[in-house]
Amino acid sequence: MSGPFLPSVASAEDSGCFLVSLRLRMPAPIRLRELIRTIRTARTQAEEREMIQKECAAIRSSFREEDNTYRCRNVAKLLYMHMLGYPAHFGQLECLKLIASQKFTDKRIGYLGAMLLLDERQDVHLLMTNCIKNDLNHSTQYVQGLALCTLGCMGSSEMCRDLAGEVEKLLKTSNSYLRKKAALCAVHVIRKVPELMEMFLPATKNLLSEKNHGVLHTSVVLLTEMCERSPDMLTHFRKLVPQLVRILKNLIMSGYSPEHDVSGISDPFLQVRILRLLRILGKSDDDSSEAMNDILAQVATNTETSKNVGNAILYETVLTIMDIKSESGLRVLAINILGRFLLNNDKNIRYVALTSLLKTVQTDHNAVQRHRSTIVDCLKDLDVSIKRRAMELSFALVNGNNIRGMMKELLYFLDSCDPEFKADCASGVFLAAEKYAPSKRWHIDTIMRVLTTAGSYVRDDSVPNLIQLITNSVEMHAYTVQRLYKALLDDISQQPLVQVASWCIGEYGDLLVSGQCEEEEPIQVTEDEVLDVLEGLLVSNLSTPVTRGYSLTAIMKLSTRFSSVNRIKKVVSIYGSSIDVELQQRAVEYNALFKKYDHMRPALLERMPIMEKTATNGPTEIVQTNGETESSDSKHMPSIAQPANQANDLLDLLGGHDVGPVIQTALPTKPASAGGELLDLLGDLSLSGGPAPSPTPSVTISQPPFLLDGLSSQPLFNDTAAGIPPMTAYNKNGLKIEFTFERSNPNPNISVITIHASNTTEADMTDFVFQAAVPKTFQLQLLSPSSNVVPALNQGNITQVIRVLNPQKQQLRMRIKLTYTYKGAPVQDLAEVNNFPPQSWQ
Amino acid sequence: MRFMLLFSRQGKLRLQKWYVPLSDPQKKKISREVIQMVLARKPKMCSFLEWRDLKIVYKRYASLYFCCAVEDQENELITLEIIHRYVELLDKYFGSVCELDIIFNFEKAYYILDEFILGGEAQETSKKIVLKAIEQADMLQEVGPIYFMKAFSARWAI
C-alpha cells in the first residue's frame, strides 16, 4: 500500500483531468443502487456470492488504482456487501483515505465505513486519530459533527485520551449543535477512560442553564454518567437538584410546545432522563429526597396515561420514588400506580409493572399485598414473560394468612402452564407449603396434587425432601401411603411420584393392608395386590433404573411387614440375574440377606426413624472408615477431612499400629448413602442431591450393620443395661467422666456407652470435646454430645453416646483425649481407660 | 443502548449499529441469536425480552423489525418511544418509508440514526432539528470542496 493519506488536492480542473485519464483505463464502477438491484435479483445464495465476488474484484482493482473519484462509491458498495455478511476488511484503509478527503460526501461515507469496519480491535484504528482531530476543529459544523459522532460511538481508549481535550473544548462552545454532541462524546470518553472524568467537570458548570433541549438532554446524560461513577461527583452535583426540579416543572406546566411534543407531553425523553438523574441524586439523601418530593407527586398525578409515552414517564417516576427516601404516602402512590398498570390493556405496561413490583415486594410487602388478586389474575396472561413474573411475584406474596387461597390458584396454574414453568412452580409450591402449611393433611394433599399433576417435572432433589417430610409426619403415614398407592394405580409414568410412592409402600405397607387410615375411607387391599403393583413397576418400560431400584428395595422391605415372604424371595432371586447391574447387585445382596443373614433382616428393614432436617442440604457428616480405608461416596469426601484429622491425632498418640481410627459423627441425622450396600436397603436416600448414590465399591455383607443404627440420633436400644455397673473412666482436675452401659438389642456385639462429664470446680469448662480411640479389632462410633459446656459446681453434665462394636469379643480398651477451655486457657489431657467391667464387652 | 438491529421478517439484516466493540464473528453470532429469538415471538407477546444481561426491546413496523438491546437499568417504555421516533424520522425523510427505502438507501438510514443517537443515547429530542441537520448535510454533498463551506456553517448553524 502506498504511504500516508495525504488529502487529495481537489480542484475542479484536477479532478477533471483525472476523470478523463480514468475513463481511458476502465469503465466507471457501477453505482451503489444498481449493485443493490443486481444483487437482489440473485435467486440463490451461490448466485449472490458470485456476483459479490465479481464486484469485490472490481472494487479491489479500483482501490489499487488509487482512484479518488469513485472511492466513495466503491466503499459504499463494500459496506452494503458487508451488511449482507461478506468480508470487507480490504476497504479499511480506503475508509481512512475518504475521511482525509476534503469532499463532504467522502467524509460522510468514510466515517460511516470507519464506524462499521474500523472498531478499536482493528490495527489501523488509531490511524484515524489525526483526521478526527483535524475534523473536530473543522470550520464546518457538520464535519465536526461527523468526527464527534465517530469518536463518541467507537473511539478506543487511546484515541479518547488523545482527543479528550478537543472534546472538552467543544463542550464549552456556544454552538448547541456541537455542544450536545460533545456532551455525549464526553460520556463515551469517560466510559473508556474513567480517570479523565475530572477534566470535564469545569465544563459542566452551566450546562443546565441551556435552553436548547438537545443540550439539556445530553447534559443530563453526562451528569448521570459522572454521578454513577464517582461518589464525589454525586455529592458535588446534589446541589443541582433544585435546578433539575425547576426544569422538570417547566416541562410539565408549560403549554404545548410543537417542537418537543409527543402525544401531548412535552419532551418525554428529557423528563425521563431528569427523573433518572433525580433518582441517583436522591438515593440515601434525605434533603435531596425531600426537595424532589413535590415534583414527583405532581408528575405521578398529572401525567396523561392514555398512551405509552405517559406511562413511560410514570414508570420512571415510580422507580425514582421507590429508590429515594420518599415519604410513605408517596410510596403507596407509586405502588398504586403499578397496581393500575397491572390492569392496563397494554401488555408491555403489565410487564413493567410486574417487574417493578417484584423489586419492591420485599421492602413494601404490605402495599404490594393489596394488589394480590390482580397479580394472581396475571397468571392467566397469554404472554410468557408476564406469566413468569406473575408466578414469581405470587410466590413472594404467599404468607400464613393467604396460603390456602394462593395455593389453589398456584396449583391451578401448575395444571395448565407451559412445561418450562412446571419445575419452578412445583419447587415454589413445595417451599411455600413447607413454610406455611396450615395442617399436615393439607401439606400431604398439596404434595400429592403436585406429584400427580406435574410429577415428571418435579426436581430430582424433591424426592428425598418429600420422603423426609412424609417420614416426619408420623400420624399421616397411613393416609399418605394410601393416597400414594391409589395414585400409582392410576398412573405409573411420572417417576418422582412413583419413587416416593414405592418408598412409602415399602416403609408403610403394613399400614396399607391393615386398613388403618383415619383421614379417609380406608381401602381394602391385599398383600398380593400391593406386590403386584410394585412388581409391575419393575417390569414396566416407563420405569427408569432409579425407579426400579426403589421398587425392588420396597419389595424387600415388605418381607418384614408382609407375610408373603416366599413371593418376595422369588422376585428378589429373579432379579439376581438382571441385566441392570445396579438391580442385580441389590437383588444378590437381598438374596444373601434371606439366606445367610436372615437374623439381621428385621433390624435392617426396620421402620425409619424421624429424621432431623438440618438447615442446608449439605454433604452428610457420617464418616465411615474401616481398618482398611474404604472409599466412601465421593459426595462425602469434604466432611471426612475433619474427623480424619482428629483420628490421626489419636493414632499418632497411640502408636498408630494396633489401633483403629475413630469414627466420629457430628450430626448423624441423615442416612448416609455411602459406604455400604446395606445402607441402600433403606431407600437410597441421598439428601445431598440425586435420588440414588453412585455405586460404591461393593462392600460385603459382613460390614457390621451397626453403622445403620447410627442413623438416629438416639441409640436404638430398647432395654437398659441389665445390671452392668457404671464406671468412672476419668477423674482429674475437677473433671469427672463416668461411663454407663447399655447393650444394644438385638445386636449383642454392640455396647452402647454413655459418657457423663461433670465439673466440680467453680468455673465452667467450655469448648469441651471428647475423643476416643479403640484397638483395631473394634469399631467405635461417637454420636453428638448434648452440649460442649460442662457447667461448674456439678450444675449439670454433658452426655455423649459411644457405640462400640466388638465382634471378636475382645477385652475393651480405650484411649481418650479431652480438650476444653478453662478460665480462658486451653486444657488438654489424655488417658487410658482399661477398667471396663467384663459384662460390657463379653 | 448497546446495539440496534433492523431486520426483515425473513431474518435479513437491513441495518446494524453497534455501540460496543465486538469482533465480526461475535456480531454475527449475536445478530443471529437475537433475530431468531425475536422472530419466534408471537403477536400477543410483550415487546420485551430478557437476553443474557440485557433487555431486548423490539417493535415491528410493517415488514421490518426494529430491535434495541439496552442495559438492565434502562426504561423499556421510553426505549419503545426512541424506536418510534426513529421510524418517524425515517418516515418524514423518505416520505412514507418502507423497507425498500432502507434497503436502497441504507447509508441515509445510518446518517439519520447518527444524527438522532450518539454513543447509544439520544442527542436530540426535537424531530425538526434532526431533520434540518440531515437536510443541511445532504446539501453539502451536492456542492464542491469544503472550503466553500465556511459560508454555509455560519449561516446554517443550529
Side-chain angles (χ1 to χ4, degrees):
Chain A
M1 269 280 152
S2 55
F5 318 107
L6 303 165
S8 46
V9 178
S11 75
E13 304 92 84
D14 283 359
S15 49
C17 295
F18 196 61
L19 271 170
V20 164
S21 53
L22 209 57
R23 259 184 234 119
L24 289 176
R25 260 190 275 174
M26 58 167 109
I30 70 169
R31 307 183 97 92
L32 171 64
R33 321 270 176 247
E34 208 183 303
L35 176 69
I36 297 177
R37 205 170 295 125
T38 312
I39 290 178
R40 282 171 62 78
T41 63
R43 276 160 301 161
T44 65
Q45 185 75 12
E47 211 180 315
E48 181 184 279
R49 213 176 307 133
E50 206 183 302
M51 289 177 186
I52 301 240
Q53 273 170 359
K54 187 160 153 226
E55 185 58 35
C56 276
I59 293 177
R60 271 189 151 109
S61 41
S62 186
F63 285 163
R64 271 198 298 273
E65 303 286 333
E66 299 279 345
D67 179 332
N68 289 337
T69 322
Y70 297 113
R71 182 176 287 125
C72 170
R73 184 186 290 182
N74 286 328
V75 168
K77 287 187 287 187
L78 201 55
L79 293 179
Y80 177 74
M81 297 188 286
H82 177 251
M83 182 140 67
L84 292 178
Y86 296 92
H89 46 272
F90 58 92
Q92 286 175 359
L93 288 172
E94 301 301 312
C95 291
L96 288 174
K97 292 183 197 172
L98 283 173
I99 291 173
S101 157
Q102 282 307 307
K103 283 167 72 181
F104 185 70
T105 318
D106 283 356
K107 281 192 191 282
R108 234 183 172 186
I109 289 281
Y111 276 115
L112 178 59
M115 285 193 270
L116 290 173
L117 303 178
L118 273 176
D119 64 53
E120 62 185 49
R121 294 153 150 270
Q122 310 305 324
D123 301 328
V124 294
H125 175 85
L126 273 178
L127 294 174
M128 277 198 286
T129 312
N130 218 42
C131 279
I132 295 183
K133 186 169 188 175
N134 290 335
D135 283 343
L136 284 174
N137 291 301
H138 204 277
S139 47
T140 311
Q141 67 180 17
Y142 297 106
V143 173
Q144 289 173 294
L146 285 176
L148 280 167
C149 181
T150 307
L151 180 59
C153 285
M154 42 85 83
S156 64
S157 322
E158 295 87 355
M159 200 184 284
C160 287
R161 252 185 249 271
D162 284 343
L163 300 174
E166 306 295 327
V167 175
E168 197 260 345
K169 232 166 42 189
L170 288 169
L171 191 50
K172 297 190 281 207
T173 175
S174 54
N175 180 337
S176 51
Y177 178 77
L178 294 175
R179 207 170 183 201
K180 71 191 184 195
K181 290 179 192 274
L184 289 182
C185 205
V187 171
H188 178 83
V189 169
I190 291 173
R191 283 180 184 161
K192 284 305 224 184
V193 193
E195 308 91 73
L196 291 175
M197 184 162 41
E198 292 285 329
M199 83 184 277
F200 293 106
L201 188 52
T204 62
K205 224 178 166 93
N206 45 16
L207 276 177
L208 288 185
S209 24
E210 266 278 357
K211 290 279 176 266
N212 179 289
H213 281 227
V215 178
L216 270 177
H217 186 273
T218 58
S219 301
V220 173
V221 173
L222 175 58
L223 292 168
T224 308
E225 186 71 29
M226 292 167 98
C227 291
E228 275 175 340
R229 282 187 180 265
S230 155
D232 290 333
M233 290 285 180
L234 178 59
T235 322
H236 173 83
F237 284 124
R238 277 220 176 92
K239 62 177 192 261
L240 292 176
V241 169
Q243 207 173 356
L244 288 164
V245 168
R246 238 185 350 260
I247 298 172
L248 190 52
K249 196 166 186 148
N250 284 335
L251 284 172
I252 302 169
M253 306 297 274
S254 67
Y256 176 70
S257 150
E259 199 168 323
H260 301 286
D261 180 271
V262 180
S263 305
I265 296 182
S266 189
D267 206 338
F269 304 107
L270 182 56
Q271 287 196 38
V272 165
R273 274 333 292 233
I274 292 179
L275 285 163
R276 190 159 144 190
L277 180 55
L278 286 175
R279 176 154 85 245
I280 294 167
L281 294 173
K283 198 169 183 161
S284 330
D285 189 79
D286 288 321
D287 292 331
S288 304
S289 300
E290 209 192 304
M292 51 182 87
N293 203 67
D294 286 344
I295 191 66
L296 290 173
Q298 206 177 350
V299 176
T301 42
N302 289 346
T303 307
E304 181 66 45
T305 60
S306 55
K307 292 250 169 78
N308 179 63
V309 62
N311 288 320
I313 295 175
L314 275 179
Y315 177 39
E316 196 73 34
T317 311
V318 165
L319 290 177
T320 301
I321 293 174
M322 300 316 293
D323 238 14
I324 63 171
K325 297 186 152 238
S326 46
E327 50 181 53
S328 59
L330 203 53
R331 290 182 89 85
V332 171
L333 177 60
I335 298 213
N336 287 344
I337 291 177
L338 293 178
R340 273 207 311 277
F341 274 6
L342 284 179
L343 299 167
N344 197 303
N345 283 329
D346 187 339
K347 48 201 173 327
N348 294 331
I349 311 272
R350 293 203 295 277
Y351 175 88
V352 301
L354 286 169
T355 314
S356 311
L357 285 169
L358 206 48
K359 285 193 209 141
T360 64
V361 69
Q362 302 304 331
T363 47
D364 295 86
H365 191 89
N366 291 331
V368 180
Q369 279 282 1
R370 268 180 240 134
H371 300 277
R372 196 176 65 243
S373 52
T374 325
I375 292 168
V376 167
D377 280 341
C378 288
L379 286 172
K380 304 189 184 84
D381 204 295
L382 293 163
D383 183 306
V384 165
S385 319
I386 290 181
K387 271 203 279 228
R388 178 165 285 282
R389 274 177 173 54
M391 182 182 81
E392 284 171 27
L393 202 46
S394 298
F395 278 122
L397 289 174
V398 171
N399 61 29
N401 292 328
N402 58 35
I403 178 73
R404 283 187 193 267
M406 287 296 276
M407 198 51 85
K408 230 173 38 193
E409 297 284 350
L410 289 164
L411 286 173
Y412 180 73
F413 175 69
L414 183 62
D415 280 343
S416 53
C417 69
D418 298 326
E420 61 184 286
F421 288 114
K422 295 220 188 212
D424 288 331
C425 190
S427 300
V429 167
F430 286 148
L431 257 163
E434 206 175 308
K435 279 208 273 211
Y436 303 112
S439 73
K440 285 234 154 108
R441 157 119 190 217
W442 180 95
H443 197 170
I444 302 281
D445 282 344
T446 305
I447 291 174
M448 289 295 309
R449 174 84 183 268
V450 174
L451 286 177
T452 48
T453 56
S456 25
Y457 299 97
V458 158
R459 272 198 258 275
D460 286 346
D461 62 354
S462 306
V463 171
N465 284 341
L466 291 174
I467 287 176
Q468 182 174 44
L469 183 67
I470 291 169
T471 309
N472 291 352
S473 316
V474 175
E475 65 276 18
M476 303 298 301
H477 285 171
Y479 172 69
T480 309
V481 68
Q482 181 163 296
R483 286 214 57 190
L484 284 168
Y485 178 77
K486 285 201 278 193
L488 271 192
L489 291 177
D490 278 334
D491 171 22
I492 60 167
S493 66
Q494 303 190 86
Q495 300 306 295
L497 170 63
V498 174
Q499 286 165 15
V500 174
S502 310
W503 191 91
C504 283
I505 294 174
E507 193 65 13
Y508 310 120
D510 48 324
L511 299 175
L512 185 61
V513 297
S514 66
Q516 284 183 26
C517 184
E518 282 171 4
E519 299 281 342
E520 63 175 19
E521 187 69 39
I523 57 173
Q524 310 292 345
V525 59
T526 65
E527 290 184 1
D528 277 321
E529 283 169 330
V530 174
L531 288 170
D532 283 342
V533 168
L534 287 176
E535 283 186 49
L537 295 174
L538 277 174
V539 301
S540 165
N541 285 337
L542 297 165
S543 299
T544 63
V546 167
T547 305
R548 292 207 179 92
Y550 270 88
S551 91
L552 186 62
T553 303
I555 293 175
M556 186 60 192
K557 279 155 82 172
L558 290 174
S559 70
T560 55
R561 292 159 174 75
F562 282 5
S563 50
S564 27
V565 183
N566 286 328
R567 176 174 175 177
I568 294 176
K569 273 194 197 169
K570 231 169 48 179
V571 174
V572 168
S573 66
I574 291 173
Y575 280 87
S577 42
S578 161
I579 293 179
D580 183 331
V581 173
E582 174 75 24
L583 228 45
Q584 189 193 110
Q585 186 172 359
R586 284 169 200 240
V588 163
E589 288 166 3
Y590 297 164
N591 246 337
L593 206 51
F594 274 127
K595 300 207 166 78
K596 213 166 121 185
Y597 296 95
D598 204 42
H599 58 282
M600 282 196 210
R601 194 164 47 88
L604 283 172
L605 304 178
E606 247 177 27
R607 190 76 102 229
M608 288 291 285
I610 309 260
M611 303 178 227
E612 277 169 39
K613 194 176 178 122
T614 52
T616 55
N617 276 336
T620 71
E621 279 126 310
I622 297 182
V623 175
Q624 289 125 65
T625 44
N626 293 335
E628 331 78 63
T629 45
E630 195 70 61
S631 60
S632 36
D633 195 292
S634 57
K635 285 193 268 290
H636 307 285
M637 279 307 163
S639 52
I640 292 176
Q642 215 251 340
N645 288 338
Q646 294 166 335
N648 284 337
D649 291 347
L650 287 169
L651 284 174
D652 289 346
L653 298 167
L654 295 167
H657 294 299
D658 60 338
V659 181
V662 172
I663 305 165
Q664 186 152 339
T665 359
L667 248 165
T669 55
K670 298 180 205 159
S673 54
E677 293 312 305
L678 287 171
L679 295 172
D680 296 347
L681 284 178
L682 289 181
D684 309 318
L685 292 177
S686 159
L687 291 172
S688 47
S694 39
T696 53
S698 78
V699 175
T700 63
I701 287 287
S702 60
Q703 171 94 19
F706 90 118
L707 292 166
L708 295 172
D709 297 343
L711 294 173
S712 89
S713 52
Q714 303 124 50
L716 288 178
F717 52 80
N718 46 20
D719 72 316
T720 47
I724 306 178
M727 60 173 270
T728 303
Y730 176 94
N731 194 347
K732 214 160 113 179
N733 298 327
L735 175 65
K736 179 167 155 191
I737 301 204
E738 266 201 359
F739 283 3
T740 58
F741 301 91
E742 283 100 10
R743 196 162 281 276
S744 172
N745 198 9
N747 191 335
N749 291 335
I750 297 179
S751 309
V752 179
I753 306 170
T754 308
I755 71 154
H756 306 261
S758 55
N759 172 7
T760 56
T761 70
E762 79 274 19
D764 289 354
M765 295 168 181
T766 57
D767 304 315
F768 183 84
V769 177
F770 175 90
Q771 290 168 281
V774 287
K776 200 164 184 176
T777 52
F778 297 80
Q779 284 198 48
L780 184 143
Q781 185 180 26
L782 227 56
L783 300 170
S784 45
S786 60
S787 88
N788 64 350
V789 174
V790 195
L793 301 171
N794 288 329
Q795 281 169 39
N797 53 14
I798 292 180
T799 55
Q800 190 166 9
V801 174
I802 311 173
R803 301 162 68 87
V804 182
L805 179 69
N806 183 4
Q808 294 177 27
K809 298 277 189 211
Q810 295 197 340
Q811 178 176 25
L812 183 54
R813 312 184 344 248
M814 199 184 275
R815 269 255 167 125
I816 63 176
K817 178 175 171 182
L818 308 160
T819 50
Y820 54 93
T821 306
Y822 186 66
K823 288 184 175 170
V827 179
Q828 185 180 297
D829 200 359
L830 294 165
E832 208 161 346
V833 185
N834 290 320
N835 52 330
F836 285 93
Q839 304 100 305
S840 65
W841 49 268
Q842 271 168 355
Chain B
M1 198 187 300
R2 294 272 185 97
F3 58 84
M4 181 188 278
L5 303 172
L6 265 66
F7 50 91
S8 70
R9 275 185 297 185
Q10 289 75 42
K12 281 204 106 103
L13 213 49
R14 299 300 180 203
L15 187 146
Q16 47 171 331
K17 187 76 189 181
W18 300 84
Y19 296 107
V20 283
L22 290 165
S23 71
D24 257 0
Q26 279 174 315
K27 287 182 191 164
K28 282 211 174 102
K29 179 160 182 274
I30 292 174
S31 306
R32 243 196 333 261
E33 245 180 83
V34 172
I35 291 174
Q36 236 171 23
M37 262 192 328
V38 172
L39 288 176
R41 302 280 281 178
K42 302 195 200 68
K44 280 265 188 288
M45 294 179 159
C46 70
S47 302
F48 315 126
L49 269 173
E50 271 133 28
W51 179 74
R52 300 197 186 175
D53 60 330
L54 301 171
K55 297 197 268 210
I56 306 281
V57 180
Y58 72 93
K59 190 151 180 189
R60 185 159 81 82
Y61 289 85
S63 59
L64 263 186
Y65 282 91
F66 287 69
C67 180
C68 294
V70 296
E71 281 167 16
D72 207 43
Q73 67 266 34
E74 294 291 328
N75 182 328
E76 296 97 316
L77 299 179
I78 207 75
T79 309
L80 278 175
E81 293 298 321
I82 297 255
I83 291 176
H84 190 72
R85 173 56 63 88
Y86 182 45
V87 174
E88 283 180 320
L89 290 167
L90 291 168
D91 192 61
K92 225 20 195 279
Y93 183 82
F94 287 109
S96 294
V97 68
C98 63
E99 191 183 344
L100 277 179
D101 291 318
I102 301 187
I103 293 171
F104 280 95
N105 302 283
F106 71 94
E107 84 278 15
K108 298 262 168 59
Y110 273 109
Y111 297 154
I112 295 171
L113 183 61
D114 285 340
E115 204 56 51
F116 173 41
I117 294 180
L118 200 159
E121 306 278 355
Q123 59 183 283
E124 181 55 66
T125 58
S126 156
K127 237 188 301 188
K128 193 174 98 177
I129 293 180
V130 175
L131 290 167
K132 189 86 186 178
I134 296 285
E135 195 188 324
Q136 301 284 304
D138 281 351
M139 282 211 289
L140 269 186
Q141 284 199 204
E142 304 297 318
V143 295
I146 297 177
Y147 52 79
F148 286 133
M149 292 310 102
K150 258 191 141 153
F152 250 101
S153 50
R155 278 172 68 195
W156 298 103
I158 294 174

